[in-house]
Amino acid sequence: KNPVHVIGGGLAGSEAAWQIAEAGVPVVLHEMRPVRGTDAHKTEGLAELVCSNSFRSDDAETNAVGLLHAEMRLAGSLIMSAGDAHQVPAGGALAVDRDGFSDAVTAKIEAHPLITIVREEVPGLPPADWDQVIIATGPLTAPSLAQSIAEATGADALAFFDAIAPIVHFDTIDMNTAWFQSRYDKVGPGGTGKDYINCPMDKEQYLAFVQALLDGQKTEFKQWEGTPYFDGCLPIEVMAERGVETLRYGPMKPMGLTNVHNPSVKAYAVVQLRQDNALGTLYNMVGFQTKLKHAEQVRIFRTIPGLENAEFARLGGLHRNTYINSPTLLDPSLQLTSRPGLRFAGQITGCEGYVESAAIGLLAGRFAAAERLGQAPSLPPPTTAFGALLNHITGGHIVSDDEPGKRSFQPMNVNFGLFPPVEAPKVEGKRLRGKDKTVAKRRAITARALADCRAWLGPPVRAEAAE
Ligand code: FAD
């Protein structure tokens, strides 16, 4: 059989190579380190963890990344088995000895009879005779390959920074204070004129908010990241530094909006949230990209009327990253629609995090192996963590109503807002409230996910058959 080529031996590429080889298909894994380094990697090991050594929560019942761990274990993940084998104590989290973990992944890949590792930089899009390829070159993709990807996908399709605005779970927004309305009731394509959630502020609240932004603790850019401020994407605290009124003339302008709860009083400033996923479970805070520390974001944004009890699916940030506009470029099996046989995996697809990157590598590997074996790729159900994350990347994405065509796809960790909602189960016929309700819903989502994931994967392969 012709090999599948995997470019990049990080979290996603190592997992993809493993899955392909375990399906009986030969793989060539191209990793540029140590021939060429990145700004963050320090070793030549495969699956190097460039920063924290944590895979985050391992709780598969009430945590979305814990659920993803469980699904990956069911799918025979190399990243999870090496992580489990090199665990270090970290409470409910799965943290690993980073060197032991990377050494274990490297040893397993090197020892696999169907995997060949080539230590070289792939300088551009792969040659046409590589008919099955996975690009998993990560947030620090080498510049010449990044350039080729930009040329192949269109200049606007590749981003080098993510300017992330926080995302809020809809069911934690107080709609007795906030209201639905598009500015000037404008109806865009497919819209209703009520596509935004608006949170009003009076003058006193606005001034206190601006001061909190100025005083809040920020994270610094790393030296190699530079300072990537560009028009339309300034962090809110930088806008606040430019003058007390700047935000009121920018993302917090109150024009064209009438508070349905109090129509006679004009808001002094308004924070808008825009629907972020097709399910309507997540809303992003429009124009609120920020370098404030995460705890500061939670503290300060909960002072916004209507967001007092907000739970955040993701907090804001601004980082060096490389990722493509996947919803417009990739089909549901992560394949570039303009070049069948070329797939993307890992953080470059617009997921965020070690585990998520590895999970997308796992899926891309299975899809590529299936094609090589003459089978149609089998997509995970949308109710699973695999499916929810895949759907964030390849579909289910909202284009804004009054800015048609505006790109708003941003990288994201797996979270419960990506799953089709469930009704909270009743206990002794009574509806649950507050935290009990949240936990019950999460348990219902994770139980459904694990059952559907098992059904998708089919019966486990018996040990002797796998020998
Ligand atoms: P990587 O793991 O980066 O793997 C990509 C591989 O491709 C690398 O080995 C690279 O050498 C290779 N490569 C690149 N270009 C080429 C080429 N042209 N030819 C051949 N090989 C190439 N996530 C977390 O969960 N926790 C964190 O603490 C965390 N910290 C981060 C800190 C930084 C500075 C960055 C940039 C990201 C961080 N992330 C973190 C995000 C992300 O989860 C990791 O970057 C993760 O490693 C992404 O996995 P990946 O497989 O997509 O990319």
Side-chain angles (χ1 to χ4, degrees):
K1 283 182 211 98
N2 258 347
V4 175
H5 292 265
V6 176
I7 308 175
L11 275 298
S14 301
E15 184 67 60
W18 181 256
Q19 294 288 326
I20 297 163
E22 287 289 276
V25 173
V27 186
V28 181
L29 177 60
H30 306 258
E31 168 52 55
M32 69 177 182
R33 289 175 291 119
V35 182
R36 183 187 175 118
T38 78
D39 286 316
H41 290 85
K42 296 192 173 64
T43 74
E44 56 188 73
L46 300 179
E48 177 181 337
L49 304 177
V50 290
C51 188
S52 120
N53 66 333
S54 175
F55 287 3
R56 317 201 311 279
S57 173
D58 201 31
D59 167 5
E61 288 185 4
T62 63
N63 187 290
V65 79
L67 172 65
L68 190 56
H69 292 173
E71 292 186 10
M72 290 172 72
R73 289 182 182 115
L74 288 175
S77 161
L78 170 63
I79 294 299
M80 289 310 302
S81 67
D84 288 337
H86 292 275
Q87 193 167 355
V88 295
L94 174 58
V96 306
D97 168 347
R98 69 178 72 239
D99 293 329
F101 165 74
S102 169
D103 290 349
V105 173
T106 309
K108 281 282 204 180
I109 298 257
E110 280 176 347
H112 201 295
L114 288 178
I115 305 181
T116 308
I117 306 176
V118 181
R119 297 282 184 168
E120 66 174 10
E121 176 184 354
V122 177
L125 284 189
D129 62 329
W130 296 11
D131 66 334
Q132 284 289 335
V133 184
I134 297 173
I135 297 183
T137 45
L140 305 172
T141 295
S144 70
L145 176 58
Q147 180 68 30
S148 306
I149 295 170
E151 281 162 17
T153 54
D156 291 344
L158 188 74
F160 290 101
F161 278 89
D162 46 27
I164 296 181
I167 291 190
V168 180
H169 289 278
F170 170 68
D171 58 2
T172 65
I173 301 174
D174 177 7
M175 294 307 292
N176 293 319
T177 302
W179 74 97
F180 278 109
Q181 186 186 9
S182 301
R183 217 179 277 285
Y184 299 109
D185 302 309
K186 192 169 166 187
V187 183
T192 60
K194 293 189 191 310
D195 297 330
Y196 289 77
I197 292 177
N198 301 283
C199 300
M201 280 187 188
D202 62 24
K203 184 171 182 182
E204 201 180 329
Q205 288 165 331
Y206 174 77
L207 294 177
F209 183 72
V210 170
Q211 195 57 47
L213 294 178
L214 294 175
D215 295 343
Q217 286 187 315
K218 286 101 192 165
T219 45
E220 300 299 326
F221 283 108
K222 301 210 170 60
Q223 203 181 2
W224 52 265
E225 289 186 301
T227 309
Y229 296 153
F230 43 94
D231 274 357
C233 177
L234 286 177
I236 45 165
E237 62 277 8
V238 173
M239 280 189 260
E241 276 167 21
R242 295 193 171 177
V244 73
E245 290 288 282
T246 308
L247 282 166
R248 229 165 69 75
Y249 285 91
M252 294 178 69
K253 60 178 176 278
M255 274 90 76
L257 297 166
T258 307
N259 184 347
V260 293
H261 306 298
N262 201 353
S264 59
V265 177
K266 183 92 192 129
Y268 190 73
V270 171
V271 174
Q272 286 203 302
L273 296 99
R274 179 165 58 216
Q275 190 174 334
D276 198 77
N277 62 345
L279 296 170
T281 49
L282 298 174
Y283 276 73
N284 68 65
M285 298 175 68
V286 180
F288 266 55
Q289 52 278 352
T290 174
K291 288 287 279 181
L292 284 167
K293 292 200 164 158
H294 282 181
E296 292 284 81
Q297 291 184 40
V298 174
R299 179 179 68 78
I300 296 171
F301 297 156
R302 283 191 182 153
T303 66
I304 297 171
L307 300 188
E308 293 86 348
N309 298 309
E311 293 292 338
F312 295 88
R314 184 187 73 188
L315 287 157
L318 204 61
H319 309 105
R320 174 80 175 81
N321 197 356
T322 310
Y323 68 99
I324 58 171
N325 195 14
S326 296
T328 61
L329 297 172
L330 303 185
D331 78 0
S333 77
L334 297 162
Q335 193 166 222
L336 196 62
T337 44
S338 60
R339 182 168 164 183
L342 180 63
R343 288 189 161 77
F344 284 83
Q347 182 133 336
I348 197 168
T349 63
C351 61
E352 173 81 30
Y354 300 144
V355 181
E356 288 85 343
S357 296
I360 295 301
L362 183 150
L363 293 177
R366 293 174 84 95
F367 298 156
E371 290 221 29
R372 179 58 91 230
L373 296 169
Q375 301 154 4
S378 158
L379 302 180
T383 46
T384 60
F386 279 134
L389 189 60
L390 185 64
N391 194 39
H392 164 64
I393 291 168
T394 62
H397 192 63
I398 289 290
V399 173
S400 105
D401 210 31
D402 56 356
E403 302 144 284
K406 183 173 159 60
R407 176 198 162 128
S408 54
F409 177 61
Q410 289 288 349
M412 182 128 88
N413 289 121
V414 68
N415 66 79
F416 284 112
L418 300 177
F419 292 74
V422 289
E423 286 292 317
K426 290 183 184 163
V427 173
E428 290 164 9
K430 287 200 189 127
R431 284 186 197 286
L432 296 170
R433 292 181 169 275
K435 195 154 193 248
D436 290 344
K437 182 176 167 188
T438 306
V439 170
K441 275 173 133 181
R442 290 181 176 181
R443 285 188 194 281
I445 288 177
T446 57
R448 179 182 69 179
L450 286 173
D452 289 356
C453 186
R454 284 195 180 92
W456 172 62
L457 290 167
V461 182
R462 278 178 299 125
E464 61 270 31
E467 287 296 307

